[in-house]
Each structure stands twice: as C-alpha cells, then as structure tokens.
Amino acid sequence: MNEMTPIASEIMSSELGKPFKLSRRGFLGASLGALVLGVTLPAGRARAQAAAATITPGTRVAAFLEIRPDSTVLFRSAFIEGGQGIFTAMAQIVGEELDVDPANFVVEGAPPGPDYLLTGGGRFTGGSMSVRMSYETMRRLGASARQMLLQAAAAQLGVPVSELSTEPGRVVHAASGRTIPYGEIADAAAGLPVATEVALRDRADFRWIGKPVERLDVRDKSTGKAQYAIDLKVDGMLYAAVQHSPRLGGEPGALRNEADVRGMPGVHSIHRLQGAVAVVANSWWRARMAVEALQVTWTDAVGTAHAMPADFSTEAHMAKLKAATGNGVAYETEGDVQSALTSAARVVEAAYDAPYLVHGQLEPPSALARWNEDGSLELWIPNQAPEMFQAEAAKLAGIAPEKVIIHSPMLGGFFGRHFLYQTANPFPQAIQLAKAVRRPIKLIWSREEEFLRDALRPMAAVRFRAGLDGNGMPIALAAVAAGEGPTGRWFGRQPDKVDSSAVEGIAGKVYAIPNRRVAQIHVDDPAIIGFWRSVGHSMNDFFYETFFDEMADAGQQDPYELRHRLLAESPRHRTLLEAVAELSGGWKRGPFTAEDGTRRARGVAMASPFGSEVATIAEVSLRQGEIIVHDVWVAIDPGSIVNPAIIEAQVNSAVALGLSSALLEEVVYVDGVPQARNYDGYPILTPDRMPRVHVRIVESGAPMGGIGEPGLPGVPPAVANAVSVLAGKRVRSLPLSKLDLKGVDG
C-alpha cells in the first residue's frame, strides 16, 4: 500500500464495469418481504444482466427502486450521503417523476455495479457533481417506473393507460373513481419492460423539486439512530487499534514490552503491519490502550515510496515553493501579457501562500472486514467511490473484484476525506487482520492516528504581476502557482501539462482583463496530499481575490466598483455581485463605525467553483488583536436548484469551514512528523466565533452547478480583504492567526 501507485483511469474504465456478485446478503433487499419493482429475478439472472454490455447507467429501474407493499420506496443512491443532503435530493428528483412524496422514501448507498456509473462513466461522490450529473437521468428513471406502474394498473383495471393518472403513491382512474396504491401493483409492474419513451413533468407542475423539503436523515441523526461505519457490528467480531510509525515510511522493529501487552485485559493478539503495529482485543478501548502501551522501535525501510524525509519541515518546503523561479507551464493565456506589462503605467507584484490542512471530520476512520465461508470478502467502509475501493480491496486480498462486497454507510463528515488515499485508509489493515485472526475485525483509528495519516490539502505559493493603465485599470495579469495538485497525484500527471486542481480559482476568472497568463511550476510535495472541500479553489480564490484588491488599491479604485466594471460583459456575474451587495444592505468598504461603536470594514470576493457562481461579502472588526467576523453574506447562482433549504445549509457549513481555514488552521511538520495530533494542537472555529450567515439564491437558468463546495472559496478572501482595510496592510498568507494585529483594535 505504500507504493502509492496513482489511481489510473484504467480502474475507472475497466474495474468499474465488472459485475457485482450478489450474496445471501445481496442488495436486492428480498429479506424485507417487499414486492420489488423489477428486481424479482433470481440471482444468476441478475448477475448476467449486470454483466451485460448493454447496460446504460441509470436506466434499469431494478437497480435503483424497490416499492414496498405499503407503497413506500427504497431507493439505492449511486451517491454517498455525508451530510450534504444527497439522499434527500435524490428522493426529490426521483419522487417528482415517480409521484411519491420524498418523505416516503428510504434511501441507502448502492453497492458497486455498472448501473451506478453516473459521473462520466465512473462513480465518485465529490466535486459537487452528484445532483448536477445525474439530474436528468434520475428524473427519467422515476418517470420510467411511474409508466410501468400505470401499465400494470391499466391491465388490472381493464382500461387504457391514457385514462389513468397518478397522485402521490397511487394510480387514479378518475372516470370510475377507482385508485390503486403503488404497493399493490409493484409485483405486476416488475414483469414489464422498462419504459424508455417517457414524458417528464413541466417545471411549473413540480411538487417537490425546487421546494425546501425536509431532510430525510435529520430525525435519525437527531435521535442517535443513524448508523455510521463506526457504529456497525457483526457476529463474532473483534476490535483492533493501531499505532503508526510517527514518520511515514518507518517500519516496526523490536517491541520491547510485547509480553506485558499480551497480558493486558482483553488482548487477543499483536500484529506487525506495514508502517504500523496493531492490537486485536475484545473491545476497542482495550485494543487502543494496549497498542498505545506498546514500546516500538521504528526503523527506516529502504525504498519505501513516498517515505517522509527525516529532515522535512513545512517551513523549508514553503521556502522551496516561494523560491521556485521561471514562468512555469501555461494553463491559460489570453492576449500578450508581456507586452502589456512592459507598456503598463504601473506594475503591481505580490506573492501569496497557504498551508497544509487536515480534513478533521468528526468521525474517525474505521473499517469492518469479514471473510465469508464462500471466499468472499465483505467490507463496511466509509468511502466516496465504492467501485474504486472494491477494485483496490480485491487487489490487496488477491481475489476477483466480484468477490468483494462493499457496504457504503453514511459518512460522518465528507470534505474529500473518504477517497482512496492509499496510506490514509484503514481498510487494508482491517483486511489483513481479519485474515490473520479468522474473525471479523472492526478497526478504528484514534484521533491521534487520523491526524498522523490524513491526506492533506496541499501547500501552495503563487506569484502575481499585474499591469495598470494610466487610469488605474488592470490591463494585464500574470500568475505562476508553485506546488502539486491532488488530481495529478492520484490520476497521473503529464510533465508538459498543468494540473487543473493546482490553478482552479486563478484560471477561469471572468473579469475583463484583456491580457492574462496563468501557469504552474510543479514542485513535488513530500506529503500525502488529497482533495479538500472545494479543492484548489479553497486557497486559489484567496490568492486571486485578495490580489485583486491590491490591484484596485494600486489603481485607486474601489474593489467592489472595479469588479462591477470588469463584469460589464458578464451579466450573470454582475447580477450576482449586485445581489450580494443588496443582501448586505449596500456595499461599504470602510472603515466605518457600527452601531455598537466598533470600527469595522467589509471585504468582497467572487468565485466560480464547480459550475456555480458565488459572491461573498464579510464584515469584520478587530478586538485585542483578534479578528471578529460579524456577518457573511453569500449570493449563490447554481443555475437551477433542487432544494433551497439544503443549499442554504450547505452555504452555512461552507462558510464555517472556510472561515476556520482562513483564521486558524495549519498543519506544521518538523523532522518529518506533524506536530498536531489532535484538536488541542490544531484549533478549529469555535461556535462563539461563527458569524451570522445570510444567503440569497439566484437562479439564472444556466446549467445546474454544484452546491456542496462553492460556498467556501469566497470566505477567506472576503475576510482577508476586510482585515487589510482595518490593519492598513495587505494579507498574503494564511492562516490569519499568524498576523500581529495588536494595537489595531477598533
């Protein structure tokens, strides 16, 4: 697992298309005693259908829907719920066309299989892709199922389909006043061909899409009934805890007190793993106490890929990024930047940087592994990509992918943490331990081990140069980003091409600056880097939008008015900027005195992440050197929407995470080891520092964009721009807690 072979596109194109082998615990849900729409097939026939090359993802009603005798619906979602509201959105979309109230849905994560490859021929919950990439497909799926129910009802009532309609959960024959609940005809509908030519509802007739439908998972989460991977149990299982090498690449040598630990209460066995030691016990707490008591001599392994150098420090690596010279490989070019800079009345230059971040999700990583008597391997694991995890588990276990059964529980936090980062996932260890002890193993990493092995948001540094004309208007902008992006790390990098995840948020800006060049200098990152909520946008929009204010100041322009002027030819963005200003009660930069007597300022930022457009304004004051964020206003245009309540909730959570990263968060390495092993060394935003958040949704009618991540990128620059006004100096580095702001109170 330390070889860190990139997850190549071959996995997406080959392994994902392999059939899922049904077991006695198969995904058909027959044990529920339901009348199943379209899945009353013997397992052999179902396997054959799953393997058929003719399967078009998202079209087989059988794979997604189960209508029960009481007319409630079990829906198998291709996308994983991790707090972002996916299950509720899917129920709204499918329920709209099926004509079933979303409240009558039970939604669960679907198993691996070709039916669920809805994201560009693959399957991955992330990048704010789920709803926007499956919206039309899921509507048609619901409409197909409804048509099959109508056909079954027509046969039972002896009337033409044209005389029938539906009301939520039932078929209606208005002429005779007869109705049939869906649950009574689901079995008959199962034998019918899937309807392919179906009409979709007019938007004006929507009952649930576009409405603030209540979250399906709220009650279970609020009452403790929600089941996460960390909660799951199977018969006969044992528990395991691990102690990793403090520095990635170290291997366990001598265990100086092994005999004493074996004698501790509940201990079953002690195991050496790659880069770690593990204790198996009859409770997790006993396993943890025992493994942490082990006195391990760690040795350096020779040739371990991505081993962390013993002299690595974040300070030295940042210095290396900042020292990177040259113009890099161009990603975006427009006009003639060099000539424009040469002829500019004034040139503005600045360098920006941002640190490593952990994901820090509430639920620690865990994995439950069981080897079955038939040679299959069953895994209950938090994940964002079931087929990818299935393929990797099969490779590790030395069995065919169809013999790996993946269960994908609800995630206790998302943020890009549950991707296939090979040294940052516990399931390989659980597989090995379950095989060694011949019992199911539930492995949980402690918070300390999670902080030690999390995949980090990359470090980055960017150099900007801008040229202004005699009127202070920008005529040229050049940016060179130094670092490594997670997309290139995990999906392969071409040396002559730029990793888009390293420059997104710098490239693609819509401001009418006629001459632009955005480039990257690739610098290998020694750490295990990964995707973090809003990926490159999380730091790159901070870089660009704060430098934008520097340009404005240098040209004696108001930063809001300059943005407004440069968006004259982009009405969608200009409308959004105006909307956030109106939402905030009118733009005023400051400094100004608030009603409570505090001296305040505002900052503004724009971002275009994941198909959505966002404008953000933050109002800030300073108190005894501490930054106080009072209000954040966000106007978001996702094109069109499914659930405005979920959008507002996602924007609120994105503001919280964006503010936490801007103010406080930073991973520091010394001698190859992260210094923070828990939240006491890695502070995050506390509830008393959370500002009021105001959200306005603007539906422009553009193609649907994402929701889970777009609310975050505008927060750090909006806050930093406001702080710069109050402090009288530019902010070019995160987190803002590094700033010395004493004596600047207001």
Side-chain angles (χ1 to χ4, degrees), residues 400-456:
E402 58 265 27
K403 290 187 73 68
V404 178
I405 303 164
I406 299 286
H407 302 275
S408 303
M410 185 182 298
L411 301 176
F414 215 99
F415 320 127
R417 174 62 182 92
H418 299 290
F419 187 55
L420 191 58
Y421 310 120
Q422 292 171 310
T423 59
N425 283 295
F427 76 92
Q429 298 170 340
I431 292 172
Q432 185 176 344
L433 292 170
K435 190 169 187 177
V437 303
R438 299 183 179 182
R439 297 268 295 275
I441 287 290
K442 181 177 180 179
L443 169 63
I444 303 173
W445 285 2
S446 67
R447 186 72 67 194
E448 288 75 13
E449 298 306 311
E450 158 67 344
F451 267 77
L452 188 62
R453 284 293 178 267
D454 191 7
L456 307 175

Side-chain angles (χ1 to χ4, degrees), residues 296-515:
V296 185
T297 300
W298 298 100
T299 62
D300 287 338
V302 178
T304 301
H306 276 271
M308 180 61 77
D311 60 350
F312 176 78
S313 73
T314 45
E315 182 180 5
H317 188 61
M318 181 58 75
K320 182 178 181 180
L321 295 179
K322 290 181 176 180
T325 58
N327 294 323
V329 178
Y331 181 81
E332 177 184 77
T333 57
E334 185 71 32
D336 188 340
V337 169
Q338 189 54 51
S339 294
L341 287 170
T342 301
S343 63
R346 181 172 181 179
V347 174
V348 184
E349 297 183 271
Y352 287 76
D353 63 81
Y356 290 132
L357 299 179
V358 297
H359 292 89
Q361 79 285 351
L362 182 62
E363 179 188 18
S366 67
L368 175 53
R370 175 173 65 191
W371 288 89
N372 296 320
E373 293 179 1
D374 61 2
S376 64
L377 171 64
E378 203 157 1
L379 294 170
W380 291 260
I381 47 177
N383 73 89
Q384 295 176 237
E387 286 79 7
M388 298 175 75
F389 277 72
Q390 181 190 45
E392 182 69 14
K395 183 172 68 175
L396 293 168
I399 58 179
E402 58 265 27
K403 290 187 73 68
V404 178
I405 303 164
I406 299 286
H407 302 275
S408 303
M410 185 182 298
L411 301 176
F414 215 99
F415 320 127
R417 174 62 182 92
H418 299 290
F419 187 55
L420 191 58
Y421 310 120
Q422 292 171 310
T423 59
N425 283 295
F427 76 92
Q429 298 170 340
I431 292 172
Q432 185 176 344
L433 292 170
K435 190 169 187 177
V437 303
R438 299 183 179 182
R439 297 268 295 275
I441 287 290
K442 181 177 180 179
L443 169 63
I444 303 173
W445 285 2
S446 67
R447 186 72 67 194
E448 288 75 13
E449 298 306 311
E450 158 67 344
F451 267 77
L452 188 62
R453 284 293 178 267
D454 191 7
L456 307 175
R457 187 191 77 172
M459 265 189 172
V462 181
R463 290 183 277 112
F464 286 99
R465 296 184 74 206
L468 308 180
D469 66 15
N471 296 317
M473 296 296 292
I475 57 172
L477 187 145
V480 181
E484 182 179 0
T487 299
R489 169 69 66 93
W490 296 107
F491 291 101
R493 183 180 71 87
Q494 299 180 46
D496 59 339
K497 291 187 178 180
V498 173
D499 181 347
S500 62
S501 65
V503 295
E504 60 186 6
I506 303 173
K509 288 290 189 178
V510 295
Y511 301 120
I513 300 174
N515 303 284

Side-chain angles (χ1 to χ4, degrees), residues 524-600:
D524 284 336
D525 198 317
I528 304 302
I529 60 173
F531 300 95
W532 196 87
R533 191 173 184 178
S534 76
V535 197
H537 285 278
S538 67
M539 51 189 167
N540 288 336
D541 280 295
F542 160 73
F543 299 149
Y544 189 104
E545 292 290 312
T546 45
F547 181 69
F548 188 102
D549 274 35
E550 289 208 46
M551 289 193 304
D553 287 343
Q556 297 184 334
Q557 307 281 332
D558 177 88
Y560 173 88
E561 296 298 338
L562 181 59
R563 286 176 172 85
H564 193 260
R565 184 172 176 179
L566 294 179
L567 295 174
E569 301 302 318
S570 184
R572 183 184 181 191
H573 299 86
R574 199 179 210 197
T575 297
L576 198 64
L577 183 63
E578 292 169 351
V580 77
E582 181 184 3
L583 182 65
S584 70
W587 167 251
K588 50 182 178 180
R589 191 185 192 193
F592 59 88
T593 302
E595 292 182 0
D596 63 358
T598 57
R599 180 173 174 267
R600 300 187 184 184

Side-chain angles (χ1 to χ4, degrees), residues 189-273:
L192 299 175
V194 174
T196 55
E197 298 297 325
V198 292
L200 301 181
R201 286 187 185 274
D202 290 332
R203 186 178 181 87
D205 298 328
F206 283 172
R207 287 190 176 100
W208 299 293
I209 292 178
K211 307 298 192 299
V213 171
E214 183 177 313
R215 287 278 295 261
L216 300 184
D217 51 358
V218 166
R219 182 173 294 275
D220 282 355
K221 287 181 175 179
S222 302
T223 58
K225 294 180 181 178
Q227 291 285 297
Y228 301 94
I230 200 170
D231 300 315
L232 301 176
K233 297 179 181 179
V234 297
D235 291 342
M237 78 179 191
L238 294 170
Y239 297 83
V242 296
Q243 179 190 156
H244 289 103
S245 168
R247 186 164 51 82
L248 184 60
E251 296 296 336
L255 306 181
R256 296 189 295 277
N257 61 339
E258 183 173 359
D260 292 339
V261 172
R262 287 186 185 278
M264 292 178 68
V267 169
H268 175 278
S269 50
I270 297 173
H271 304 264
R272 284 177 169 82
L273 304 172

